[in-house]
PDB file of all heavy atoms in Angstrom:
ATOM      1  N   GLN A  22      -5.636 -15.734   3.497  1.00  0.00           N
ATOM      2  CA  GLN A  22      -5.567 -15.184   2.147  1.00  0.00           C
ATOM      3  C   GLN A  22      -6.676 -14.157   1.923  1.00  0.00           C
ATOM      4  O   GLN A  22      -6.462 -13.121   1.279  1.00  0.00           O
ATOM      5  CB  GLN A  22      -5.659 -16.306   1.113  1.00  0.00           C
ATOM      6  CG  GLN A  22      -4.419 -17.199   1.114  1.00  0.00           C
ATOM      7  CD  GLN A  22      -4.561 -18.380   0.179  1.00  0.00           C
ATOM      8  OE1 GLN A  22      -4.329 -18.257  -1.022  1.00  0.00           O
ATOM      9  NE2 GLN A  22      -4.921 -19.543   0.724  1.00  0.00           N
ATOM     10  N   HIS A  23      -7.851 -14.437   2.436  1.00  0.00           N
ATOM     11  CA  HIS A  23      -8.955 -13.485   2.313  1.00  0.00           C
ATOM     12  C   HIS A  23      -8.606 -12.154   2.970  1.00  0.00           C
ATOM     13  O   HIS A  23      -8.825 -11.075   2.401  1.00  0.00           O
ATOM     14  CB  HIS A  23     -10.222 -14.076   2.957  1.00  0.00           C
ATOM     15  CG  HIS A  23     -11.375 -13.137   2.989  1.00  0.00           C
ATOM     16  ND1 HIS A  23     -11.666 -12.354   4.097  1.00  0.00           N
ATOM     17  CD2 HIS A  23     -12.310 -12.835   2.062  1.00  0.00           C
ATOM     18  CE1 HIS A  23     -12.722 -11.618   3.841  1.00  0.00           C
ATOM     19  NE2 HIS A  23     -13.145 -11.889   2.617  1.00  0.00           N
ATOM     20  N   GLU A  24      -8.047 -12.200   4.166  1.00  0.00           N
ATOM     21  CA  GLU A  24      -7.680 -10.949   4.832  1.00  0.00           C
ATOM     22  C   GLU A  24      -6.586 -10.231   4.064  1.00  0.00           C
ATOM     23  O   GLU A  24      -6.628  -8.999   3.909  1.00  0.00           O
ATOM     24  CB  GLU A  24      -7.239 -11.212   6.272  1.00  0.00           C
ATOM     25  CG  GLU A  24      -6.884  -9.930   7.008  1.00  0.00           C
ATOM     26  CD  GLU A  24      -6.890 -10.073   8.518  1.00  0.00           C
ATOM     27  OE1 GLU A  24      -7.219 -11.169   9.036  1.00  0.00           O
ATOM     28  OE2 GLU A  24      -6.590  -9.070   9.195  1.00  0.00           O
ATOM     29  N   ALA A  25      -5.614 -10.980   3.555  1.00  0.00           N
ATOM     30  CA  ALA A  25      -4.534 -10.362   2.780  1.00  0.00           C
ATOM     31  C   ALA A  25      -5.073  -9.674   1.534  1.00  0.00           C
ATOM     32  O   ALA A  25      -4.613  -8.587   1.153  1.00  0.00           O
ATOM     33  CB  ALA A  25      -3.501 -11.418   2.397  1.00  0.00           C
ATOM     34  N   GLN A  26      -6.068 -10.284   0.887  1.00  0.00           N
ATOM     35  CA  GLN A  26      -6.651  -9.673  -0.301  1.00  0.00           C
ATOM     36  C   GLN A  26      -7.403  -8.391   0.050  1.00  0.00           C
ATOM     37  O   GLN A  26      -7.340  -7.397  -0.695  1.00  0.00           O
ATOM     38  CB  GLN A  26      -7.576 -10.677  -0.988  1.00  0.00           C
ATOM     39  CG  GLN A  26      -6.812 -11.812  -1.670  1.00  0.00           C
ATOM     40  CD  GLN A  26      -7.733 -12.936  -2.131  1.00  0.00           C
ATOM     41  OE1 GLN A  26      -8.528 -13.473  -1.360  1.00  0.00           O
ATOM     42  NE2 GLN A  26      -7.629 -13.295  -3.389  1.00  0.00           N
ATOM     43  N   HIS A  27      -8.093  -8.377   1.188  1.00  0.00           N
ATOM     44  CA  HIS A  27      -8.770  -7.144   1.592  1.00  0.00           C
ATOM     45  C   HIS A  27      -7.776  -6.101   2.089  1.00  0.00           C
ATOM     46  O   HIS A  27      -8.036  -4.897   1.959  1.00  0.00           O
ATOM     47  CB  HIS A  27      -9.844  -7.442   2.636  1.00  0.00           C
ATOM     48  CG  HIS A  27     -11.124  -7.870   2.002  1.00  0.00           C
ATOM     49  ND1 HIS A  27     -12.091  -6.975   1.591  1.00  0.00           N
ATOM     50  CD2 HIS A  27     -11.580  -9.097   1.655  1.00  0.00           C
ATOM     51  CE1 HIS A  27     -13.093  -7.637   1.037  1.00  0.00           C
ATOM     52  NE2 HIS A  27     -12.809  -8.928   1.061  1.00  0.00           N
ATOM     53  N   ASP A  28      -6.659  -6.521   2.623  1.00  0.00           N
ATOM     54  CA  ASP A  28      -5.614  -5.555   2.948  1.00  0.00           C
ATOM     55  C   ASP A  28      -5.161  -4.839   1.682  1.00  0.00           C
ATOM     56  O   ASP A  28      -4.945  -3.618   1.682  1.00  0.00           O
ATOM     57  CB  ASP A  28      -4.414  -6.261   3.601  1.00  0.00           C
ATOM     58  CG  ASP A  28      -4.682  -6.681   5.022  1.00  0.00           C
ATOM     59  OD1 ASP A  28      -5.654  -6.189   5.636  1.00  0.00           O
ATOM     60  OD2 ASP A  28      -3.912  -7.529   5.545  1.00  0.00           O
ATOM     61  N   GLU A  29      -5.015  -5.600   0.599  1.00  0.00           N
ATOM     62  CA  GLU A  29      -4.612  -4.985  -0.662  1.00  0.00           C
ATOM     63  C   GLU A  29      -5.695  -4.046  -1.183  1.00  0.00           C
ATOM     64  O   GLU A  29      -5.403  -2.974  -1.721  1.00  0.00           O
ATOM     65  CB  GLU A  29      -4.294  -6.066  -1.691  1.00  0.00           C
ATOM     66  CG  GLU A  29      -3.636  -5.524  -2.936  1.00  0.00           C
ATOM     67  CD  GLU A  29      -3.212  -6.599  -3.907  1.00  0.00           C
ATOM     68  OE1 GLU A  29      -3.555  -7.788  -3.698  1.00  0.00           O
ATOM     69  OE2 GLU A  29      -2.541  -6.254  -4.891  1.00  0.00           O
ATOM     70  N   THR A  30      -6.957  -4.439  -1.003  1.00  0.00           N
ATOM     71  CA  THR A  30      -8.062  -3.572  -1.404  1.00  0.00           C
ATOM     72  C   THR A  30      -8.054  -2.279  -0.589  1.00  0.00           C
ATOM     73  O   THR A  30      -8.243  -1.177  -1.132  1.00  0.00           O
ATOM     74  CB  THR A  30      -9.402  -4.303  -1.208  1.00  0.00           C
ATOM     75  OG1 THR A  30      -9.422  -5.466  -2.040  1.00  0.00           O
ATOM     76  CG2 THR A  30     -10.570  -3.409  -1.570  1.00  0.00           C
ATOM     77  N   MET A  31      -7.838  -2.388   0.720  1.00  0.00           N
ATOM     78  CA  MET A  31      -7.775  -1.186   1.549  1.00  0.00           C
ATOM     79  C   MET A  31      -6.583  -0.318   1.167  1.00  0.00           C
ATOM     80  O   MET A  31      -6.658   0.919   1.212  1.00  0.00           O
ATOM     81  CB  MET A  31      -7.724  -1.573   3.026  1.00  0.00           C
ATOM     82  CG  MET A  31      -9.026  -2.160   3.548  1.00  0.00           C
ATOM     83  SD  MET A  31      -9.088  -2.360   5.356  1.00  0.00           S
ATOM     84  CE  MET A  31      -7.963  -3.739   5.587  1.00  0.00           C
ATOM     85  N   LEU A  32      -5.487  -0.949   0.778  1.00  0.00           N
ATOM     86  CA  LEU A  32      -4.319  -0.191   0.340  1.00  0.00           C
ATOM     87  C   LEU A  32      -4.640   0.599  -0.920  1.00  0.00           C
ATOM     88  O   LEU A  32      -4.235   1.758  -1.060  1.00  0.00           O
ATOM     89  CB  LEU A  32      -3.150  -1.148   0.096  1.00  0.00           C
ATOM     90  CG  LEU A  32      -1.802  -0.520  -0.242  1.00  0.00           C
ATOM     91  CD1 LEU A  32      -1.279   0.313   0.914  1.00  0.00           C
ATOM     92  CD2 LEU A  32      -0.792  -1.603  -0.610  1.00  0.00           C
ATOM     93  N   ALA A  33      -5.398  -0.008  -1.840  1.00  0.00           N
ATOM     94  CA  ALA A  33      -5.826   0.713  -3.035  1.00  0.00           C
ATOM     95  C   ALA A  33      -6.719   1.898  -2.671  1.00  0.00           C
ATOM     96  O   ALA A  33      -6.641   2.968  -3.300  1.00  0.00           O
ATOM     97  CB  ALA A  33      -6.554  -0.227  -3.982  1.00  0.00           C
ATOM     98  N   THR A  34      -7.552   1.738  -1.651  1.00  0.00           N
ATOM     99  CA  THR A  34      -8.384   2.851  -1.201  1.00  0.00           C
ATOM    100  C   THR A  34      -7.524   3.956  -0.600  1.00  0.00           C
ATOM    101  O   THR A  34      -7.796   5.153  -0.795  1.00  0.00           O
ATOM    102  CB  THR A  34      -9.430   2.364  -0.185  1.00  0.00           C
ATOM    103  OG1 THR A  34     -10.161   1.273  -0.748  1.00  0.00           O
ATOM    104  CG2 THR A  34     -10.400   3.471   0.179  1.00  0.00           C
ATOM    105  N   HIS A  35      -6.485   3.596   0.134  1.00  0.00           N
ATOM    106  CA  HIS A  35      -5.529   4.589   0.633  1.00  0.00           C
ATOM    107  C   HIS A  35      -4.967   5.412  -0.523  1.00  0.00           C
ATOM    108  O   HIS A  35      -4.814   6.632  -0.427  1.00  0.00           O
ATOM    109  CB  HIS A  35      -4.372   3.894   1.352  1.00  0.00           C
ATOM    110  CG  HIS A  35      -4.571   3.713   2.824  1.00  0.00           C
ATOM    111  ND1 HIS A  35      -4.117   4.624   3.750  1.00  0.00           N
ATOM    112  CD2 HIS A  35      -5.162   2.716   3.537  1.00  0.00           C
ATOM    113  CE1 HIS A  35      -4.417   4.203   4.975  1.00  0.00           C
ATOM    114  NE2 HIS A  35      -5.053   3.045   4.872  1.00  0.00           N
ATOM    115  N   GLN A  36      -4.627   4.742  -1.618  1.00  0.00           N
ATOM    116  CA  GLN A  36      -4.064   5.442  -2.765  1.00  0.00           C
ATOM    117  C   GLN A  36      -5.082   6.383  -3.400  1.00  0.00           C
ATOM    118  O   GLN A  36      -4.725   7.449  -3.910  1.00  0.00           O
ATOM    119  CB  GLN A  36      -3.562   4.418  -3.789  1.00  0.00           C
ATOM    120  CG  GLN A  36      -3.125   4.971  -5.127  1.00  0.00           C
ATOM    121  CD  GLN A  36      -1.884   5.840  -5.058  1.00  0.00           C
ATOM    122  OE1 GLN A  36      -1.257   5.999  -4.013  1.00  0.00           O
ATOM    123  NE2 GLN A  36      -1.529   6.444  -6.182  1.00  0.00           N
ATOM    124  N   LEU A  37      -6.364   6.033  -3.349  1.00  0.00           N
ATOM    125  CA  LEU A  37      -7.412   6.850  -3.949  1.00  0.00           C
ATOM    126  C   LEU A  37      -7.848   8.026  -3.078  1.00  0.00           C
ATOM    127  O   LEU A  37      -8.445   8.979  -3.571  1.00  0.00           O
ATOM    128  CB  LEU A  37      -8.631   5.980  -4.266  1.00  0.00           C
ATOM    129  CG  LEU A  37      -8.493   5.024  -5.452  1.00  0.00           C
ATOM    130  CD1 LEU A  37      -9.575   3.948  -5.389  1.00  0.00           C
ATOM    131  CD2 LEU A  37      -8.562   5.787  -6.770  1.00  0.00           C
ATOM    132  N   ARG A  38      -7.597   7.954  -1.770  1.00  0.00           N
ATOM    133  CA  ARG A  38      -8.102   8.982  -0.870  1.00  0.00           C
ATOM    134  C   ARG A  38      -7.367  10.303  -1.069  1.00  0.00           C
ATOM    135  O   ARG A  38      -6.197  10.346  -1.452  1.00  0.00           O
ATOM    136  CB  ARG A  38      -7.986   8.550   0.605  1.00  0.00           C
ATOM    137  CG  ARG A  38      -6.557   8.366   1.072  1.00  0.00           C
ATOM    138  CD  ARG A  38      -6.479   7.946   2.544  1.00  0.00           C
ATOM    139  NE  ARG A  38      -6.678   9.065   3.428  1.00  0.00           N
ATOM    140  CZ  ARG A  38      -5.702   9.895   3.813  1.00  0.00           C
ATOM    141  NH1 ARG A  38      -4.454   9.723   3.385  1.00  0.00           N
ATOM    142  NH2 ARG A  38      -5.964  10.879   4.645  1.00  0.00           N
ATOM    143  N   ASP A  39      -8.078  11.387  -0.815  1.00  0.00           N
ATOM    144  CA  ASP A  39      -7.460  12.714  -0.816  1.00  0.00           C
ATOM    145  C   ASP A  39      -6.845  12.977   0.553  1.00  0.00           C
ATOM    146  O   ASP A  39      -7.236  12.383   1.552  1.00  0.00           O
ATOM    147  CB  ASP A  39      -8.514  13.785  -1.121  1.00  0.00           C
ATOM    148  CG  ASP A  39      -9.059  13.672  -2.527  1.00  0.00           C
ATOM    149  OD1 ASP A  39      -8.284  13.301  -3.427  1.00  0.00           O
ATOM    150  OD2 ASP A  39     -10.260  13.942  -2.712  1.00  0.00           O
ATOM    151  N   GLY A  40      -5.901  13.905   0.573  1.00  0.00           N
ATOM    152  CA  GLY A  40      -5.310  14.266   1.856  1.00  0.00           C
ATOM    153  C   GLY A  40      -3.856  13.872   1.951  1.00  0.00           C
ATOM    154  O   GLY A  40      -3.308  13.191   1.077  1.00  0.00           O
ATOM    155  N   PRO A  41      -3.204  14.269   3.034  1.00  0.00           N
ATOM    156  CA  PRO A  41      -1.775  13.981   3.200  1.00  0.00           C
ATOM    157  C   PRO A  41      -1.506  12.503   3.399  1.00  0.00           C
ATOM    158  O   PRO A  41      -2.391  11.737   3.797  1.00  0.00           O
ATOM    159  CB  PRO A  41      -1.400  14.785   4.459  1.00  0.00           C
ATOM    160  CG  PRO A  41      -2.693  14.910   5.211  1.00  0.00           C
ATOM    161  CD  PRO A  41      -3.761  15.022   4.168  1.00  0.00           C
ATOM    162  N   SER A  42      -0.290  12.119   3.132  1.00  0.00           N
ATOM    163  CA  SER A  42       0.112  10.727   3.281  1.00  0.00           C
ATOM    164  C   SER A  42       0.057  10.287   4.748  1.00  0.00           C
ATOM    165  O   SER A  42       0.441  11.042   5.646  1.00  0.00           O
ATOM    166  CB  SER A  42       1.536  10.532   2.755  1.00  0.00           C
ATOM    167  OG  SER A  42       1.979   9.221   2.977  1.00  0.00           O
ATOM    168  N   VAL A  43      -0.432   9.091   4.987  1.00  0.00           N
ATOM    169  CA  VAL A  43      -0.425   8.522   6.333  1.00  0.00           C
ATOM    170  C   VAL A  43       0.371   7.221   6.379  1.00  0.00           C
ATOM    171  O   VAL A  43       0.562   6.647   7.451  1.00  0.00           O
ATOM    172  CB  VAL A  43      -1.860   8.269   6.847  1.00  0.00           C
ATOM    173  CG1 VAL A  43      -2.614   9.575   6.984  1.00  0.00           C
ATOM    174  CG2 VAL A  43      -2.617   7.294   5.940  1.00  0.00           C
ATOM    175  N   LEU A  44       0.821   6.749   5.214  1.00  0.00           N
ATOM    176  CA  LEU A  44       1.632   5.535   5.145  1.00  0.00           C
ATOM    177  C   LEU A  44       3.059   5.914   4.770  1.00  0.00           C
ATOM    178  O   LEU A  44       3.277   6.772   3.911  1.00  0.00           O
ATOM    179  CB  LEU A  44       1.077   4.565   4.098  1.00  0.00           C
ATOM    180  CG  LEU A  44      -0.340   4.039   4.321  1.00  0.00           C
ATOM    181  CD1 LEU A  44      -0.774   3.200   3.126  1.00  0.00           C
ATOM    182  CD2 LEU A  44      -0.420   3.221   5.600  1.00  0.00           C
ATOM    183  N   THR A  45       4.010   5.278   5.403  1.00  0.00           N
ATOM    184  CA  THR A  45       5.412   5.545   5.104  1.00  0.00           C
ATOM    185  C   THR A  45       6.167   4.239   4.950  1.00  0.00           C
ATOM    186  O   THR A  45       5.809   3.220   5.536  1.00  0.00           O
ATOM    187  CB  THR A  45       6.080   6.377   6.213  1.00  0.00           C
ATOM    188  OG1 THR A  45       5.994   5.649   7.453  1.00  0.00           O
ATOM    189  CG2 THR A  45       5.398   7.732   6.366  1.00  0.00           C
ATOM    190  N   ALA A  46       7.204   4.287   4.138  1.00  0.00           N
ATOM    191  CA  ALA A  46       8.095   3.138   3.961  1.00  0.00           C
ATOM    192  C   ALA A  46       9.363   3.641   3.291  1.00  0.00           C
ATOM    193  O   ALA A  46       9.365   4.684   2.634  1.00  0.00           O
ATOM    194  CB  ALA A  46       7.437   2.050   3.105  1.00  0.00           C
ATOM    195  N   GLN A  47      10.428   2.889   3.446  1.00  0.00           N
ATOM    196  CA  GLN A  47      11.672   3.272   2.803  1.00  0.00           C
ATOM    197  C   GLN A  47      11.573   3.042   1.303  1.00  0.00           C
ATOM    198  O   GLN A  47      10.730   2.289   0.822  1.00  0.00           O
ATOM    199  CB  GLN A  47      12.841   2.472   3.368  1.00  0.00           C
ATOM    200  CG  GLN A  47      12.750   0.977   3.106  1.00  0.00           C
ATOM    201  CD  GLN A  47      13.826   0.203   3.829  1.00  0.00           C
ATOM    202  OE1 GLN A  47      13.916   0.237   5.036  1.00  0.00           O
ATOM    203  NE2 GLN A  47      14.640  -0.513   3.070  1.00  0.00           N
ATOM    204  N   ARG A  48      12.428   3.714   0.550  1.00  0.00           N
ATOM    205  CA  ARG A  48      12.497   3.520  -0.894  1.00  0.00           C
ATOM    206  C   ARG A  48      13.177   2.196  -1.213  1.00  0.00           C
ATOM    207  O   ARG A  48      14.055   1.747  -0.468  1.00  0.00           O
ATOM    208  CB  ARG A  48      13.285   4.653  -1.539  1.00  0.00           C
ATOM    209  CG  ARG A  48      12.577   5.996  -1.478  1.00  0.00           C
ATOM    210  CD  ARG A  48      11.623   6.145  -2.645  1.00  0.00           C
ATOM    211  NE  ARG A  48      10.998   7.450  -2.659  1.00  0.00           N
ATOM    212  CZ  ARG A  48      10.212   7.891  -3.647  1.00  0.00           C
ATOM    213  NH1 ARG A  48       9.965   7.098  -4.672  1.00  0.00           N
ATOM    214  NH2 ARG A  48       9.671   9.074  -3.588  1.00  0.00           N
ATOM    215  N   PRO A  49      12.825   1.566  -2.329  1.00  0.00           N
ATOM    216  CA  PRO A  49      13.561   0.361  -2.718  1.00  0.00           C
ATOM    217  C   PRO A  49      15.022   0.686  -2.980  1.00  0.00           C
ATOM    218  O   PRO A  49      15.350   1.787  -3.436  1.00  0.00           O
ATOM    219  CB  PRO A  49      12.861  -0.085  -4.009  1.00  0.00           C
ATOM    220  CG  PRO A  49      11.547   0.610  -4.012  1.00  0.00           C
ATOM    221  CD  PRO A  49      11.759   1.895  -3.275  1.00  0.00           C
ATOM    222  N   PRO A  50      15.914  -0.239  -2.703  1.00  0.00           N
ATOM    223  CA  PRO A  50      17.322  -0.012  -3.018  1.00  0.00           C
ATOM    224  C   PRO A  50      17.547  -0.043  -4.522  1.00  0.00           C
ATOM    225  O   PRO A  50      16.667  -0.473  -5.278  1.00  0.00           O
ATOM    226  CB  PRO A  50      18.017  -1.191  -2.328  1.00  0.00           C
ATOM    227  CG  PRO A  50      16.978  -2.264  -2.272  1.00  0.00           C
ATOM    228  CD  PRO A  50      15.674  -1.550  -2.080  1.00  0.00           C
ATOM    229  N   PRO A  51      18.712   0.406  -4.983  1.00  0.00           N
ATOM    230  CA  PRO A  51      19.011   0.329  -6.423  1.00  0.00           C
ATOM    231  C   PRO A  51      18.976  -1.111  -6.921  1.00  0.00           C
ATOM    232  O   PRO A  51      19.117  -2.061  -6.144  1.00  0.00           O
ATOM    233  CB  PRO A  51      20.430   0.916  -6.516  1.00  0.00           C
ATOM    234  CG  PRO A  51      20.599   1.716  -5.272  1.00  0.00           C
ATOM    235  CD  PRO A  51      19.791   1.028  -4.216  1.00  0.00           C
ATOM    236  N   ALA A  52      18.785  -1.255  -8.214  1.00  0.00           N
ATOM    237  CA  ALA A  52      18.743  -2.589  -8.813  1.00  0.00           C
ATOM    238  C   ALA A  52      20.041  -3.340  -8.554  1.00  0.00           C
ATOM    239  O   ALA A  52      21.126  -2.756  -8.515  1.00  0.00           O
ATOM    240  CB  ALA A  52      18.483  -2.482 -10.311  1.00  0.00           C
ATOM    241  N   ALA A  53      19.915  -4.650  -8.378  1.00  0.00           N
ATOM    242  CA  ALA A  53      21.091  -5.480  -8.110  1.00  0.00           C
ATOM    243  C   ALA A  53      21.913  -5.743  -9.361  1.00  0.00           C
ATOM    244  O   ALA A  53      23.119  -5.970  -9.284  1.00  0.00           O
ATOM    245  CB  ALA A  53      20.646  -6.798  -7.484  1.00  0.00           C
ATOM    246  N   ILE A  54      21.237  -5.740 -10.511  1.00  0.00           N
ATOM    247  CA  ILE A  54      21.943  -5.941 -11.776  1.00  0.00           C
ATOM    248  C   ILE A  54      21.489  -4.883 -12.771  1.00  0.00           C
ATOM    249  O   ILE A  54      20.406  -4.320 -12.656  1.00  0.00           O
ATOM    250  CB  ILE A  54      21.700  -7.345 -12.365  1.00  0.00           C
ATOM    251  CG1 ILE A  54      20.211  -7.548 -12.680  1.00  0.00           C
ATOM    252  CG2 ILE A  54      22.208  -8.429 -11.436  1.00  0.00           C
ATOM    253  CD1 ILE A  54      19.926  -8.818 -13.469  1.00  0.00           C
TER     254      ILE A  54
END
């Protein structure tokens, strides 16, 4: 859990950093309802 929480902290730092995107993921699908 500690590592998972720091992963989230590092992810927030990724969002704050300047520069081009280095993380990729597919878009969420449309809502089910």
Side-chain angles (χ1 to χ4, degrees):
Q22 291 175 83
H23 175 265
E24 181 161 358
Q26 289 170 307
H27 276 273
D28 286 344
E29 190 175 8
T30 298
M31 290 190 288
L32 186 64
T34 307
H35 269 267
Q36 172 67 4
L37 287 163
R38 64 180 282 275
D39 294 325
S42 176
V43 296
L44 299 175
T45 60
Q47 64 187 60
R48 292 274 184 173
I54 62 171

